[in-house]
Amino acid sequence: MSAEDRYLELVPLAALDALDGDDAVEFRRHLPTCQACRAELEAFERASARIGVDVARVAPPPDLRQRMLAAVGAPVAQPPAARRPPAFPWLGTLAAAAALVLGVGLLATRHQLQRERARAQTLAAEAERAQREVVDLQQLTRLAGLQPAPGARARVIWNPATREAVLIASGLQAPPPGKAYEVWVIGEAKQPAPAGVFEPAADGTALVHLPRVEETARPRTFAVTLEPAAGSAAPTGEMVLAGAVS
Ligand SMILES: [Zn+2]
């Protein structure tokens, strides 16, 4: 394995903040010098953020301390009586204990590293699959400003499977007193379904999470009208934005 391959293999662990010891030191030193590893690290960090993974810092296994203590306290075999006892028997015992402690520690670290590595790979695969599903399911419809608001623009990003939808608009004027903008989803029934009332921000933009309405499963048109501030059950005011689903 080349040195670069080894660094790339450490990237998923670095993204999970799970590197320690020499690996962490070497990786930190290498990162500013290597575009490939930085790009890979960014991708992994995005991947874990995307699926909301909150990976705690890797802690040593909880039983490690017990195992180390047990190793130190373990009875050490006595030399056969026929042989001359060593001058410093405690030295041999301590050395054996130290070797055991070191050995257990190294094994634990190595095992942990392998486990975290496997976990990071699983997470990355899951994130990729989730991302693919989101891309497959989300649709985008553009809405154009009509005569009352020719400068207005909007997009609706919607998911027919979950009926979730978000409207992002710009170029909207503040509605007259007592009025608000209302969103409509028009499906096959032709009867527009009310999908939320909103007021744009001072800069004319709006980001509205629309309530889930059944029409979002198979919408034909998204529209925005000016309505009484409490909202209407069916559109009564001027249509400000509209977009047909292609
Ligand atoms: Zn690198």
Side-chain angles (χ1 to χ4, degrees), residues 217-229:
R218 301 185 71 179
R220 293 200 166 159
T221 305
F222 291 96
V224 174
T225 61
L226 206 51
E227 299 293 334

Side-chain angles (χ1 to χ4, degrees), residues 1-14 27 30 34-41 44 117:
M1 188 189 292
S2 76
E4 183 54 31
D5 284 346
R6 200 178 81 77
Y7 286 124
L8 282 171
E9 199 177 75
L10 294 177
V11 165
L13 288 169
F27 190 79
H30 172 72
C34 180
Q35 174 62 36
C37 285
R38 281 202 305 275
E40 186 85 351
L41 181 62
F44 267 96
R117 197 167 279 169

Side-chain angles (χ1 to χ4, degrees), residues 133-170:
E133 280 170 12
V134 167
V135 169
D136 284 350
L137 289 176
Q138 281 189 353
Q139 310 283 329
L140 187 146
T141 300
R142 290 173 203 285
L143 282 67
L146 302 180
Q147 202 275 321
R153 294 280 176 277
R155 282 168 292 162
V156 175
I157 298 159
W158 50 282
N159 182 326
T162 63
R163 280 51 157 177
E164 285 168 298
V166 175
L167 175 120
I168 304 159
S170 63

Side-chain angles (χ1 to χ4, degrees), residues 6 10 14 17-30:
R6 200 178 81 77
L10 294 177
D17 204 12
L19 280 184
D20 52 15
D22 290 347
D23 282 343
V25 173
E26 282 174 37
F27 190 79
R28 263 202 303 277
R29 197 175 297 149
H30 172 72

